[in-house]
Amino acid sequence: MITIRELRKVYGPFVALESFSEEIQAGEIFGVIGQSGAGKSTLIRCVNRLETPTSGTVVVDGQDITALSGPDLRRARQRMGMIFQHFNLLSSRTAAGNIAFPLEVMGYSRLQRKARVEELLALVGLEGKGNNYPAQLSGGQKQRVGIARALAAKPKVLLSDEATSALDPQTTRSILDLLKDLNQKMGLTILLITHDMGVVKHICDRVAILEKGRVVERGRVADLAAQPHSRLAQDFFPQRSQQPLRSGSLRATIAFQGETANQPIISRLVRQFDIEVNILKGSIETIGGQSVGQLQLELSGAETEAALQYLYQQNIEVEVHDGSPAFEQLVDSHP
Amino acid sequence: MDPQLLSSLWTATLETIYMVSVSAVLAALFGLPLGLLLVIAAPKGFLPNPALYQGLGSVVNAGRSLPFIILLVAIIPLTRLIVGTTIGSTAALVPLTLSAIPFYARVAETSLLEVDRGLVEAAESMGCSYWQVIAKVLIPEAVPSLVLGLTIMVISLIGYSAMAGVVGGGGLGDLAIRYGYQRFNTQVMLITVVLLIVLVQIVQWVGDAIARQMRRR
């Protein structure tokens, strides 16, 4: 649905975004996460050409956005919705007036607008709030108006620019649920940028992590979360145990997702091998609709090495943090 | 009170209201587009045009720096050209309007620039043309602020209109000078001062009320 190729944007000597390429499928929720200044705002603004990229192409629903200008560009923008961190509602218009705004711009008649606005108010759960001015609405309600406005012209693509960053956690969750719901009901493709891992965890199918304009990690959210060494996993499962190790033991993190999460790995390990297993820390999260977990173990005993080999064979991600040099070697030599 | 004095006060009040209201409407009518032009042509505007922006800015600044009493007499030939006379309340309209246009242009510029950039961005993301952004976003969103600016301008105009006596424009200020000051009539002086204060209070009160009503939304 959105094909981005070798997108690059520079401001004078400053490189905001460097060779970003991505193929975002129809009906997918794709997240771009990064700190402020990482280039994610630039990226999303290049997709609807609020910013013009220095080089590279963006193709949305078969149309090369980067080649357009004037009225063609404006029509292309009408086929994408966008929501914002600070909602950007017109204070001089009611909720209904705000939602009708894009329809007005597109030349819908008053009657058509009225019918569509009622539909949209119901869609975002704001029945009866049409006559309220933005100042009379809560943050969550304002963002619902923003979402209704973005969807007024029935776009296939929604761009979300830190849409929940100004909301409290509970409201954030309800807005994310609404977006997920719209994504599933209407097959809406969503490209969202955020600095909040919680957003990625809650609704994104795939994610790209941006740092200083470059992608440092990308992939399916559940897959990344199941790799102990990934940045995503480190963010989801923070604070490794810092207890001092007993001599002759090593500390390892194992990660599992989906099927493997349901298997009694630890008890098998202890039964099959002559080792001691001490669980230091563990948690399971629902990420990208899947159970993903991490366990931090302290392993000791004669067959520790064999036990690790067994885990590798079970296709379980293992990361050994510290231990004797022999174990480090084992990990390094492992394919 | 002397009935003749009462009638003079009444006439003078009407003259002041006439001069101020007509020049305020005209100044807003010309000042707003000028302010808009300044916003559009600014370096970060929709259609940056340094020459136009600088030129317009200089004219506006020149208009604002000229003392009103000088403007009043300096443009007498222009006044004759526009209204066909150089004396009376109508003649005072021309300099009053000319001095208020650049003032309101700056007021409008500031009000329009105060509109959140995010709103402009949102409108652009919905496929608005520049004109649609101006007509549907910038101006409607700036209205409360434009109204407050108008209030300030009307109050300045009440002050300036006191100098209209120089061209025989009449008004409360003129009455205060001729009767109150030159003829040592303290009573007239006091009454005109009170009337001017009341006038200013009413304007301020109405302007605030309208702006508050709009902002409450």
Side-chain angles (χ1 to χ4, degrees):
Chain A
M1 181 59 72
I2 308 175
T3 307
I4 302 170
R5 274 194 217 98
E6 289 297 316
L7 200 65
R8 178 181 154 87
K9 175 75 182 179
V10 297
Y11 300 98
F14 176 71
V15 181
L17 191 66
E18 185 67 272
S19 61
F20 185 94
S21 298
E22 189 58 63
E23 181 83 38
I24 299 168
Q25 306 298 328
E28 187 174 36
I29 303 183
F30 189 89
V32 176
I33 188 163
Q35 313 214 313
S36 46
K40 54 193 196 305
S41 279
T42 304
L43 171 66
I44 203 166
R45 277 170 175 67
C46 282
V47 173
N48 65 356
R49 277 282 301 282
L50 288 175
E51 302 230 22
T52 301
T54 309
S55 64
T57 55
V58 177
V59 178
V60 178
D61 199 16
Q63 192 172 33
D64 185 353
I65 301 296
T66 33
L68 298 176
S69 64
D72 292 333
L73 176 59
R74 291 201 292 275
R75 269 193 292 279
R77 281 175 177 162
Q78 288 166 358
R79 288 193 287 273
M80 293 179 249
M82 189 167 188
I83 53 177
F84 304 87
Q85 178 174 4
H86 298 295
F87 325 124
N88 294 350
L89 302 178
L90 298 173
S91 63
S92 54
R93 286 172 176 242
T94 60
N98 270 287
I99 298 171
F101 186 89
L103 302 172
E104 214 174 293
V105 171
M106 292 171 75
Y108 280 56
S109 75
R110 186 177 294 270
L111 222 64
Q112 286 171 308
R113 289 203 301 261
K114 199 169 165 4
R116 180 77 183 129
V117 166
E118 286 307 317
E119 234 173 87
L120 286 157
L121 281 168
L123 184 69
V124 299
L126 284 181
E127 294 98 334
K129 296 278 181 193
N131 289 326
N132 289 40
Y133 283 92
Q136 300 163 329
L137 298 173
S138 70
Q141 289 172 330
K142 284 184 207 170
Q143 194 57 288
R144 283 169 191 271
V145 174
I147 292 169
R149 179 177 69 174
L151 298 180
K154 300 186 179 170
K156 291 183 185 166
V157 171
L158 180 70
L159 306 175
S160 166
D161 179 3
E162 296 273 9
T164 54
S165 299
L167 302 173
D168 62 71
Q170 203 182 342
T171 312
T172 293
R173 189 160 283 265
S174 77
I175 293 293
L176 293 178
D177 287 341
L178 173 64
L179 290 177
K180 185 83 195 166
D181 192 43
L182 294 169
N183 159 260
Q184 279 166 354
K185 268 202 289 204
M186 304 163 45
L188 189 67
T189 308
I190 302 177
L191 169 59
L192 67 85
I193 65 170
T194 182
H195 63 262
D196 178 5
M197 276 291 180
V199 171
V200 172
K201 185 166 95 181
H202 202 66
I203 64 167
C204 290
D205 299 314
R206 284 195 303 139
V207 66
I209 302 180
L210 271 187
E211 228 178 69
K212 294 180 181 142
R214 290 172 184 276
V215 176
V216 292
E217 194 169 291
R218 73 168 81 211
R220 281 176 35 79
V221 174
D223 293 347
L224 287 175
Q227 294 169 8
H229 55 271
S230 75
R231 284 165 192 255
L232 204 70
Q234 282 169 22
D235 216 282
F236 285 160
F237 306 101
Q239 291 167 359
R240 299 221 149 128
S241 168
Q242 294 300 321
Q243 288 171 44
L245 275 178
R246 284 175 295 154
S247 66
S249 67
L250 63 76
R251 181 149 49 208
T253 298
I254 69 171
F256 42 84
Q257 64 164 316
E259 271 299 285
T260 43
N262 302 327
Q263 292 172 21
I265 301 289
I266 302 300
S267 66
R268 272 187 211 159
L269 216 56
V270 181
R271 259 188 232 147
Q272 290 186 25
F273 301 95
D274 176 19
I275 55 165
E276 298 280 349
V277 177
N278 184 18
I279 297 175
L280 300 174
K281 201 177 170 88
S283 62
I284 294 182
E285 298 263 5
T286 306
I287 293 167
Q290 273 197 53
S291 303
V292 179
Q294 277 203 0
L295 267 183
Q296 270 183 59
L297 307 172
E298 190 183 39
L299 303 173
S300 57
E303 290 186 321
T304 305
E305 207 168 308
L308 285 174
Q309 292 288 6
Y310 170 78
L311 287 173
Y312 284 124
Q313 280 156 18
Q314 302 295 306
N315 277 326
I316 291 169
E317 296 279 351
V318 185
E319 189 187 31
V320 176
H321 309 298
D322 38 19
S324 65
F327 290 129
E328 303 279 0
Q329 229 171 19
L330 167 79
V331 175
D332 285 344
S333 64
H334 196 271
Chain B
M1 197 192 293
D2 176 4
Q4 203 188 334
L5 179 62
L6 207 62
S7 126
S8 301
L9 276 168
W10 177 241
T11 312
T13 307
L14 289 183
E15 282 166 345
T16 294
I17 291 172
Y18 167 68
M19 288 188 289
V20 170
S21 55
V22 174
S23 57
V25 168
L26 289 174
L29 234 49
F30 287 99
L32 180 59
L34 217 56
L36 199 54
L37 216 55
L38 281 168
V39 172
I40 297 170
K44 287 190 170 172
F46 290 141
L47 303 164
N49 187 331
L52 180 68
Y53 181 71
Q54 294 290 343
L56 220 57
S58 307
V59 171
V60 165
N61 286 344
R64 292 197 59 197
S65 53
L66 202 63
F68 181 68
I69 190 84
I70 309 288
L71 183 80
L72 190 63
V73 291
I75 62 157
I76 281 179
L78 182 70
T79 304
R80 188 196 309 278
L81 200 71
I82 295 175
V83 292
T85 175
T86 59
I87 52 168
S89 300
T90 305
L93 283 179
V94 179
L96 279 173
T97 305
L98 275 185
S99 77
I101 288 174
F103 179 85
Y104 201 64
R106 285 292 182 210
V107 167
E109 183 192 14
T110 315
S111 302
L112 292 167
L113 285 176
E114 270 171 14
V115 174
D116 187 356
R117 270 295 308 171
L119 294 180
V120 175
E121 193 173 59
E124 287 183 326
S125 81
M126 288 180 268
C128 280
S129 64
Y130 291 146
W131 289 116
Q132 284 171 324
V133 172
I134 290 166
K136 289 178 183 291
V137 178
L138 277 186
I139 294 179
E141 287 293 309
V143 163
S145 171
L146 286 171
V147 168
L148 285 178
L150 197 68
T151 309
I152 297 172
M153 182 183 73
V154 168
I155 290 170
S156 309
L157 278 172
I158 292 174
Y160 286 157
S161 75
M163 290 179 235
V166 172
V167 293
L172 285 168
D174 186 38
L175 195 71
I177 299 272
R178 286 192 289 121
Y179 287 78
Y181 176 63
Q182 287 164 354
R183 295 186 196 174
F184 305 105
N185 188 336
T186 315
Q187 192 195 15
V188 172
M189 186 60 103
L190 277 175
I191 294 172
T192 49
V193 166
V194 168
L195 279 175
L196 283 170
I197 290 173
V198 169
L199 214 56
V200 167
Q201 286 293 344
I202 291 173
V203 169
Q204 186 71 56
W205 183 77
V206 170
D208 284 351
I210 295 174
R212 204 180 322 117
Q213 187 62 37
M214 288 174 159
R215 285 231 165 102
R216 194 178 293 156
R217 290 173 172 178

